[in-house]
Amino acid sequence: MGVIAATLGSAVGLGNVWRFPAEAQANGGAAFLLLYIACVIILGVPMMLVEMTLGRHGRSDVVGVFKKLEPGKPWWGVGALAILASLLITGFYMVVEGWTAEYLWNSITGALYEGTGESVAQTDAVLKARMGEYINSDFSPLIFTLVVFMINVGILIGGVQKGIERVSNILMPMFFVVLAILCCMTLSLDGAGEGLRWFLSPDFSLITWDTVVNALGQTFFSLSIGMGCIVTYASYYPDNTRLTGTAVIVAMMSLLVALMVGCVIFPSVTHFGLTDHGLAGSTLVFRTLPNVFSMMPGTTFWSILFFTLLFVAALTSTVSMVEVTVAFMQERLKVSRAKAVVLTVVPMIVLGIFSSLSFGSLSDFTIAGKTFFDLLDFIATNLLLPLGGIILCIYVGWFAPKTMLREQLTNHGRTRLLLLNAIVFIIRYVAPLLIGVIMVFTFI
Ligand code: PHE
């Protein structure tokens, strides 16, 4: 249970709640959802198994496994790539985690809903202004980003991951329950059908190479794969953990959260007539949802509950991201845990400051049409994660010790696995080919 909970804690986070609806909105709704589901099943689960196999067999950090298994060969470079990806992702993820903390704080103080409640339009206007204050400005989002960094540092240095895990063991199931309640509520709203149809009935003409690569990126992001996070966690797995079962459960749970979030958000968008939310994905969580809470009895209660749960979900993800590099520093460079955490987090904070400001003073500063925040997300999610993933897959499928994959998947022959051959086939042929084709076409 502990293994599943920790891996689930890493996988379920802002990727499902904040990033998924934004991507679905930007990529045509149901068509994107369908591609995402296909990617999770065909590529996501096998890729998780690749990382789990490597981590549990190598019992080391993401660079260390290659130093152990392939001494003197350049395979460890993929570990370096993974560390770079974790640096870039943390650099923007912490900012969104900061917003979550900020919305939680302002739900507690009541500032978020102050002056709302006269009418739908007036409430939305207030919430739009609040978003301007809490996200599209310089000072307060920056402060919350820094606070969130400090909380992560405290957890990682204090070695209280176990404590966090225990908290998350209770809060994670609660998150499912709260999302289910919100689903029931929003699905019964007037006009919900229209949003739901948009989210669930695909228009295949909307699928382009961009949609495909975005679905692939979202798959890697939401399952925490391609950057050694699962390798690192699996290096702590006991020998009798069933890898396939764990991967399938985590992937399905993650998918379920994304689906439920979609069923809460899109019906609300059409119910409230909030379609001017068009461009910026973050409005879906940070403006649409507060609109939903504000019409529910017990607004403050629901808002505090939701943002607390989201914050903990995000926290268990960031801890896992930073751990990739911390484990590397501790094991390879032999520095103390505290030093490793500080050395890892400092460059992340620098990126975090620029990402946060890219919603304020630096919003006009763009590279290739993207703000600093979007650029980090694009490079890490759509390029580095699939690249890391494809190399890991090719290594495990073709170059690793022949028996490693089968031994790990069957716990050295102690458990039977019906689909073993199919999984090996996907890892050797299907996954590298599919990811490769998608990436090549994106570049073209
Ligand atoms: N999977 C996490 C989420 O959905 C994000 C994450 C990405 C965590 C990569 C670790 C590694 O929020």
Side-chain angles (χ1 to χ4, degrees):
M1 278 303 281
V3 161
I4 295 182
T7 314
L8 197 64
S10 167
V12 173
L14 295 167
N16 309 65
V17 181
W18 157 80
R19 200 176 187 285
F20 169 73
E23 287 289 297
Q25 186 174 50
N27 290 286
F32 176 83
L33 173 65
L34 212 68
L35 283 174
Y36 171 56
I37 295 178
C39 281
V40 167
I41 296 171
I42 302 171
L43 299 174
V45 174
M47 281 299 315
M48 286 183 99
L49 290 174
V50 162
E51 290 208 14
M52 286 176 178
T53 296
L54 257 181
R56 195 171 64 173
H57 179 88
R59 291 256 181 247
S60 186
D61 62 280
V62 65
V63 172
V65 286
F66 290 108
K67 293 264 182 200
K68 248 189 200 170
L69 294 174
E70 303 294 336
K73 299 207 186 119
W75 282 109
W76 61 268
V78 61
L81 204 69
I83 287 178
L84 177 66
S86 79
L87 171 70
L88 302 192
I89 291 185
T90 319
F92 70 88
Y93 198 98
M94 288 285 187
V95 174
V96 186
E97 194 168 313
W99 300 340
T100 312
E102 195 175 7
Y103 271 73
L104 171 59
W105 174 249
N106 287 300
S107 301
I108 295 171
T109 63
L112 175 57
Y113 298 97
E114 216 168 85
T116 62
E118 268 170 40
S119 65
V120 169
Q122 183 261 357
T123 298
D124 184 49
V126 172
L127 291 171
K128 182 178 176 184
R130 294 283 138 80
M131 215 180 133
E133 253 170 77
Y134 300 160
I135 292 180
N136 298 303
S137 66
D138 286 340
F139 188 66
S140 74
L142 193 57
I143 295 298
F144 276 94
T145 301
L146 295 177
V147 168
V148 159
F149 265 112
M150 292 310 130
I151 295 176
N152 276 275
V153 167
I155 292 173
L156 285 156
I157 292 186
V160 289
Q161 277 111 314
K162 280 262 173 308
I164 286 292
E165 246 168 59
R166 246 171 269 140
V167 173
S168 127
N169 282 351
I170 303 167
L171 296 193
M172 210 52 122
M174 241 167 104
F175 197 31
F176 279 88
V177 173
V178 168
L179 281 175
I181 296 174
L182 290 176
C183 260
C184 296
M185 224 217 45
T186 48
L187 288 178
S188 61
L189 294 172
D190 285 340
E194 198 190 323
L196 198 64
R197 218 165 303 122
W198 183 83
F199 180 52
L200 294 179
S201 66
D203 173 356
F204 292 103
S205 67
L206 295 175
I207 295 181
T208 62
W209 281 109
D210 267 352
T211 337
V212 179
V213 78
N214 287 334
L216 183 73
Q218 175 62 22
T219 303
F220 277 82
F221 191 94
S222 72
L223 296 179
S224 311
I225 45 185
M227 54 166 261
C229 200
I230 306 286
V231 173
T232 309
Y233 268 28
S235 73
Y236 310 129
Y237 283 6
D239 284 326
N240 59 359
T241 299
R242 292 186 179 214
L243 301 187
T244 332
T246 307
V248 169
I249 291 177
V250 171
M252 290 308 122
M253 293 292 210
S254 165
L255 205 54
L256 186 65
V257 171
L259 267 173
M260 290 202 285
V261 169
C263 289
V264 173
I265 286 189
F266 295 112
S268 320
V269 168
T270 45
H271 169 80
F272 289 111
L274 300 176
T275 36
D276 73 313
H277 285 190
L279 357 146
S282 300
T283 53
L284 292 172
V285 169
F286 295 102
R287 188 166 141 201
T288 306
L289 286 183
N291 264 300
V292 174
F293 301 141
S294 70
M295 63 157 217
M296 291 167 77
T299 301
T300 310
F301 169 78
W302 288 108
S303 191
I304 293 177
L305 187 62
F306 177 82
F307 285 114
T308 303
L309 296 173
L310 185 57
F311 181 66
V312 173
L315 202 57
T316 50
S317 298
T318 40
V319 164
S320 78
M321 281 173 210
V322 183
E323 181 67 23
V324 173
T325 313
V326 171
F328 159 73
M329 288 209 183
Q330 269 190 294
E331 288 176 37
R332 291 304 101 209
L333 312 179
K334 304 286 179 225
V335 295
S336 71
R337 183 151 183 99
K339 214 172 185 182
V341 171
V342 173
L343 287 176
T344 304
V345 166
V346 168
M348 292 174 172
I349 292 183
V350 174
L351 292 181
I353 291 174
F354 283 103
S355 301
S356 180
L357 292 178
S358 74
F359 288 86
S361 298
L362 297 182
S363 59
D364 292 330
F365 173 75
T366 56
I367 303 170
K370 291 187 188 318
T371 61
F372 187 75
F373 179 103
D374 288 340
L375 195 68
L376 285 189
D377 185 357
F378 178 79
I379 295 178
T381 311
N382 284 2
L383 301 180
L384 293 183
L385 294 187
L387 190 62
I390 197 171
I391 302 177
L392 289 176
C393 223
I394 292 175
Y395 175 73
V396 170
W398 295 92
F399 293 91
K402 277 275 163 293
T403 51
M404 177 176 92
L405 185 58
R406 285 172 192 273
E407 277 179 2
Q408 286 299 327
L409 293 183
T410 59
N411 289 351
H412 298 273
R414 282 193 297 276
T415 54
R416 275 192 26 187
L417 185 59
L418 281 179
L419 292 174
L420 184 61
N421 288 333
I423 294 172
V424 174
F425 181 77
I426 291 183
I427 290 173
R428 297 193 78 179
Y429 299 95
V430 181
L433 213 70
L434 263 182
I435 301 172
V437 166
I438 295 171
M439 290 195 72
V440 166
F441 270 92
T442 317
F443 274 111
I444 293 175

